[in-house]
Amino acid sequence: MYLKRCIYILCCCLSFIACKEEPLITFKEVNFSDGDSPMVEVNIPMAEGNKTIANAINSSIEKSVIADLQIGEVDTVSFHSIKESINGFNKEFEAFQHDFPDSAYPWEAQIDGDIMYQSENIISIALTSYMNTGGAHGNLTITFFNFNAQTGKIISNSDLFNDKDAFYKLAKAYFQKQVDYKKILFDPEKFVLPSNIGYSEKGITLLYNTYEIAPYSTGVIEFTIPYDEVNSLLVFDGVQ
């Protein structure tokens, strides 16, 4: 009887540990495309698990994709789903072809999402959007999202750090080590943090999109500060 009771308690403990370690959110890759138009393809991670958290994360990702596919002013977005946005993109192209039948430039839109980092406290996701609507070159934009893994809400960059001034100084020093900044920046004397700051497996990654601080020819500027150098400044600890 005593042995059976011990086994029962052990099983309960193991079950509790397993439940505790099971993540609230998992992800699966979802593809959106128009079979009649290979011009548009969207491959993004969609959250599953706790409905409240998953819905919050998915809503933010979907809104970003819809905005990226918008032709014209983002403030005038009227689509409510990714499929509607793809259809809208195609209709804009058809209208363009009608107005400029001699144009030889095909339109193209490709959006891909990747999980940069996931822990029990924070989830970082990157969306890479490439758009070409007939110009001299396409437009590549990368957007980082940091989600609170317990709520699904977006964490602002300022809320990632317990000492914003110290992180600014660390990022500036690291940037100057990694990048020949005096030759590429619009304003070499002024350092600014990028819009994109996110967690990755190796550390905190900072990414400047094209035109954000340097000419188009410079391209994307990206560097990572290792966790052993930045963890003391983080609200959510990263894996070292």
Side-chain angles (χ1 to χ4, degrees), residues 205-222:
T205 296
L206 294 85
L207 184 146
Y208 298 86
N209 276 301
T210 305
Y211 291 124
E212 190 171 349
I213 57 170
Y216 175 82
S217 58
T218 304
V220 172
I221 299 173
E222 180 180 7

Side-chain angles (χ1 to χ4, degrees), residues 162-214:
N162 56 45
D163 190 332
K164 303 176 187 65
D165 292 336
F167 177 76
Y168 174 89
K169 293 177 182 178
L170 175 62
K172 181 178 180 179
Y174 209 89
F175 178 86
Q176 292 174 345
K177 290 179 184 178
Q178 299 294 311
V179 181
D180 191 1
Y181 67 100
K182 291 184 179 180
K183 292 183 179 180
I184 64 174
L185 299 187
F186 287 134
D187 185 356
E189 303 305 319
K190 184 178 180 181
F191 171 79
V192 293
L193 292 173
S195 300
N196 290 316
I197 302 175
Y199 279 59
S200 65
E201 292 302 322
K202 294 183 179 180
I204 298 300
T205 296
L206 294 85
L207 184 146
Y208 298 86
N209 276 301
T210 305
Y211 291 124
E212 190 171 349
I213 57 170

Side-chain angles (χ1 to χ4, degrees), residues 96-108:
F96 175 81
Q97 278 190 316
H98 180 270
D99 294 337
F100 303 96
D102 296 330
S103 175
Y105 292 102
W107 285 17
E108 179 183 4

Side-chain angles (χ1 to χ4, degrees), residues 30-34 40-44 46 82-83 86:
V30 178
N31 171 270
F32 298 88
S33 62
D34 186 342
V40 183
E41 186 169 1
V42 177
N43 302 289
I44 54 174
M46 298 296 282
I82 294 175
K83 289 185 178 180
I86 293 175

Side-chain angles (χ1 to χ4, degrees), residues 29 52 92 122 137 194 223:
E29 183 174 290
T52 300
E92 288 288 344
I122 189 167
H137 53 73
F223 63 96

